[in-house]
Amino acid sequence: DAKTTQPTSMDCAEGRAANLPCNHSTISGNEYVYWYRQIHSQGPQYIIHGLKNNETNEMASLIITEDRKSSTLILPHATLRDTAVYYCIVSPPNTGGFKTIFGAGTRLFVKA
Amino acid sequence: GAGVSQSPRYKVAKRGQDVALRCDPISGHVSLFWYQQALGQGPEFLTYFQNEAQLDKSGLPSDRFFAERPEGSVSTLKIQRTQQEDSAVYLCASSHGVSKNIQYFGAGTRLSVL
């Protein structure tokens, strides 16, 4: 079972900020929060990750609550090309011997 | 190329036929993952390699599924005696494997079993 809970779908107007929530109430102390997105007919693409501090890169910002039980991915100025399925994943930082669980994700529709 | 490459992009098989799906990871990446993605669902973990060692194969759905990475680079996912329920997109991802867990995915192989 997925360790995260996300809304099934969301809409956003082009040019506005898209705020995608994720609940991960059972997250462990050493687990990071990762976000990926999958555009139709492509493989998932890494967006951003964080442990407890807020993070920002050229694609998005990640806001993690102080208790780490939830987070929000922010796309500051959504474009039509941001229409995709967004996956929130919790995982330890080392890749050795773990199973990545994606869940169903949030389908974001950016509308003109 | 610089990314993860999968071949073929599309594969049509008759039920009962064996298929082999190839993954070329990013050069130097230690970790390699295979996933199965059914239509409208998220990717489901199949198996994981660290170099040539298959450390986790708990997601393989049956003994008809077999994966190998003999030289720690290219990997092959083999499905024997394909069934209709094997129809899905098979995704490969690689990761540098050192203190980060950022996975880089290929575009996948879409398998249709008729």
Side-chain angles (χ1 to χ4, degrees):
Chain A
D1 290 337
K3 294 177 144 184
T4 62
T5 305
Q6 299 177 254
T8 302
S9 66
M10 295 182 64
D11 289 348
C12 178
E14 188 178 21
R16 304 296 294 267
N19 299 304
L20 292 91
C22 179
N23 288 323
H24 31 79
S25 58
T26 61
I27 191 169
S28 301
N30 69 336
E31 288 185 315
Y32 282 65
V33 180
Y34 291 82
W35 283 83
Y36 287 78
R37 74 178 182 184
Q38 187 172 25
I39 295 170
H40 184 61
S41 296
Q42 297 182 22
Q45 175 193 24
Y46 165 80
I47 301 173
I48 198 168
H49 74 286
L51 183 62
K52 54 183 178 181
N53 297 323
N54 297 337
E55 301 288 343
T56 296
N57 63 20
E58 65 278 4
M59 290 183 69
S61 294
L62 174 61
I63 309 297
I64 303 174
T65 58
E66 192 169 344
D67 62 8
R68 303 212 320 123
K69 292 186 177 182
S70 66
S71 60
T72 301
L73 179 74
I74 301 172
L75 307 178
H77 306 286
T79 71
L80 298 179
R81 287 174 294 182
D82 292 323
T83 293
V85 178
Y86 288 76
Y87 297 100
C88 169
I89 299 159
V90 296
S91 177
N94 297 318
T95 56
F98 79 92
K99 175 188 287 190
T100 310
I101 300 175
F102 271 79
T106 295
R107 191 170 296 274
L108 175 68
F109 296 95
V110 180
K111 300 182 176 180
Chain B
V4 177
S5 178
Q6 292 188 247
S7 61
R9 284 282 281 124
Y10 304 93
K11 177 69 179 177
V12 178
K14 292 182 178 179
R15 191 172 55 183
Q17 191 176 2
D18 297 349
V19 298
L21 312 179
R22 177 188 170 104
C23 173
D24 283 84
I26 293 172
S27 178
H29 276 196
V30 169
S31 297
L32 186 144
F33 306 78
W34 282 99
Y35 296 85
Q36 180 189 60
Q37 186 170 27
L39 192 63
Q41 305 294 316
E44 297 228 2
F45 172 87
L46 293 177
T47 188
Y48 164 74
F49 289 86
Q50 190 170 85
N51 296 306
E52 69 278 2
Q54 189 176 20
L55 298 187
D56 189 339
K57 54 182 180 179
S58 61
L60 296 176
S62 77
D63 59 7
R64 296 186 295 104
F65 287 71
F66 172 76
E68 60 183 6
R69 193 185 184 198
E71 298 179 356
S73 178
V74 172
S75 178
T76 304
L77 176 66
K78 297 179 179 178
I79 309 173
Q80 297 177 323
R81 305 180 303 281
T82 52
Q83 303 294 315
Q84 284 188 319
E85 61 263 28
D86 300 334
S87 296
V89 175
Y90 290 86
L91 294 163
C92 175
S94 69
S95 170
H96 188 269
V98 178
S99 77
K100 288 187 179 179
N101 189 25
I102 298 171
Q103 296 181 37
Y104 298 87
F105 284 80
T109 294
R110 181 176 296 277
L111 173 66
S112 298
V113 181
L114 305 178

